[in-house]
Amino acid sequence: MEVRLHNTLGREIQVFNPINKSEVGLYCCGPTVYNYAHIGNLRTYVFEDLLRRSLEYAGYSVNHVMNVTDVGHLTGDEDDGEDKMEKSARETGKTPEEVAAFYTEAFFTDIDRLNIVRPKTACVATKHIGEMIALIKKLEERGFTYTSGGNVYFDASKFERYGEMALLDRQKLRNGARIEIDTNKKNPRDFVLWFTKSKFENHIMQWDSPWGKGYPGWHIECSAMSIKYLGDQFDIHCGGIDHIPVHHTNEIAQSEAASGKKWVNYWVHGEFLLMDKQKMAKSAGNFLTLQTLIDKGYEALDYRFFCLGGHYRSQLVFNFDSLDAARNARLSLNQRVSELKSEAEPVAAGNLTGRALEIMDKFSKDILNDLNAPKALASMWALLKDQDIAASEKLGAVLEMDRVLGLQLDKVESDSPELTKEEMALINQREAARASKDWAKADEARDKLLSMGIIVKDTANGSQWKKRL
RNA sequence: GGCGCCGUACCCAAGUGGUAAGGGAGAGGUCUGCAAAACCUCGAUGCAGCGGUUCGAAUCCGCUCGGCGCCUCCA
């Protein structure tokens, strides 16, 4: 099946053609583990998971690599010049290593709860300092660097296509609009590859290098690690839209300057989650974590479902009314799947026929056309609500869809639970009360069953029951 | 100041030239002892506003209004 993706290089939807027909190289920018991920960050990982699952759905094997940044970089707008990792460490009384370990674990807990498939390789920055130094040396040998004020800089003027993806040439950049200008730079677009002159005192995390003891610049780790695990040319690199102008621009410059080749063929970027019409950001203090949602009684998958309701390239407005809508919709979805499971065995995806096959094909076409999850979900509802499709076909199709959607429909229990003796006794008591028209007693039994998680419904064929999902 | 983008029903949200997907909430109905669930029906003659192009525009162009992001912390 053909996959189409919006490529930031060229700003258009393109047919995806991998370098290697069987395996796709996919690099996703990962977390900086100095704090919890917020749900805006997690939206991007849900999008990347949708991308990975879609590629696998289309028949590709995906070599998925993600970095874990445990080297701190500069803090926020009210920058006091401190390293994020070390700031967090100081505030919590831990070492940077302990901080990294704690938030790395928290991050993977979150993505597991969201049913995001873990990357095949999660590479840690501090374990790849050697590769970073080697890459900087290569850039130095090829004449793309200079040293100033003790730091090694990338000379952007030496790389002709600098800023091409971000369309920087069309912009009249306002230098230092938001940050302090580094007077060591020859050109505002230059960036640090290796620091030896720390702006901050007593920097804990430092390594020996040919340029002196110090630590790497922000961008070099992604280039060094992606090249190590995926080669100096690979298929897809993704991340948040905010990375286009700086981080990814600089990554492209240093990677292509080092190899002399085009580095990445497709750049795919996810849009922001908005909170009260503003971007959700740690620095703005308006962020929510997944755990906060769970503490409020939502499930992680409710948030995943919410994310799938919007297209990854559109800003998505978060509020609790919308999250409630997602939760209710998912509850209804699970109920339907549960009922289908009690009625029939799923038809294998390859054996779908008729209307179910038609809907399945539309679903595939939409999801593989730049990951249009909202359209795909509409197909899913069309399938489930169709009166003429057999339960076995519906179940087979919806489970196939869930390979991409990742809503754990395979784990939904069949809607014919075994009851305990006590529960069964209550059912029988209620039936007896109903037979003698003792409605108060019957309702009491129903309420008690409900409190035990059993929903009773009366049909023409007698009472039926199901577990509350 | 420059650049990128958005404005679709009560809410969220698809739709980039052919006559408005889907979800949630809501209303009415069937069924029921009552519920619940399920199912049926209803819901924008309209896509921020005003012009223009076109046989035809939410979709293209212009202007106006409103909003978001970026311009080296950022998903």
Side-chain angles (χ1 to χ4, degrees), chain A residues 256-270:
Chain A
E256 299 195 352
S259 72
K261 301 175 194 165
K262 184 177 183 183
W263 181 42
V264 170
N265 288 332
Y266 301 88
W267 287 85
V268 187
H269 292 99

Side-chain angles (χ1 to χ4, degrees), chain A residues 52-67:
Chain A
R52 176 190 171 156
R53 285 170 180 269
S54 295
L55 289 165
E56 289 176 341
Y57 182 77
Y60 295 109
S61 150
V62 179
N63 189 5
H64 178 191
V65 177
M66 184 186 76
N67 61 295

Side-chain angles (χ1 to χ4, degrees), chain A residues 301-369:
Chain A
L301 290 178
D302 294 333
Y303 181 65
R304 182 181 177 100
F305 191 93
F306 166 80
C307 290
L308 295 175
H311 192 268
Y312 79 92
R313 280 194 292 113
S314 295
Q315 293 178 341
L316 181 62
V317 178
F318 180 87
N319 59 57
F320 283 98
D321 286 344
S322 300
L323 190 60
D324 285 342
R327 173 169 61 182
N328 290 341
R330 197 173 75 84
L331 200 62
S332 163
L333 168 63
N334 284 350
Q335 290 282 10
R336 286 166 190 273
V337 171
S338 175
E339 281 164 25
L340 289 172
K341 283 188 176 180
S342 69
E343 288 174 38
E345 289 297 312
V347 167
N351 296 333
L352 292 169
T353 60
R355 181 74 185 133
L357 182 60
E358 277 175 35
I359 294 175
M360 196 68 231
D361 285 345
K362 176 153 183 5
F363 174 95
S364 303
K365 182 171 152 284
D366 288 333
I367 200 68
L368 299 183
N369 184 19

Side-chain angles (χ1 to χ4, degrees), chain A residues 206-223:
Chain A
Q206 299 202 52
W207 294 266
D208 287 322
S209 85
W211 311 280
K213 198 167 184 181
Y215 58 98
W218 175 34
H219 315 290
I220 197 72
E221 63 174 87
C222 285
S223 293

Side-chain angles (χ1 to χ4, degrees), chain A residues 31-38 42 68 94 98-114 118 289-291 294:
Chain A
T32 300
V33 285
Y34 71 102
N35 200 340
Y36 292 106
H38 59 64
L42 293 172
V68 173
K94 295 176 179 174
E98 286 167 344
V99 169
F102 179 82
Y103 289 112
T104 299
E105 191 183 333
F107 174 78
F108 281 110
T109 299
D110 279 349
I111 69 167
D112 287 348
R113 292 195 288 198
L114 287 166
R118 289 196 182 199
T289 62
L290 188 64
Q291 186 60 49
I294 290 168

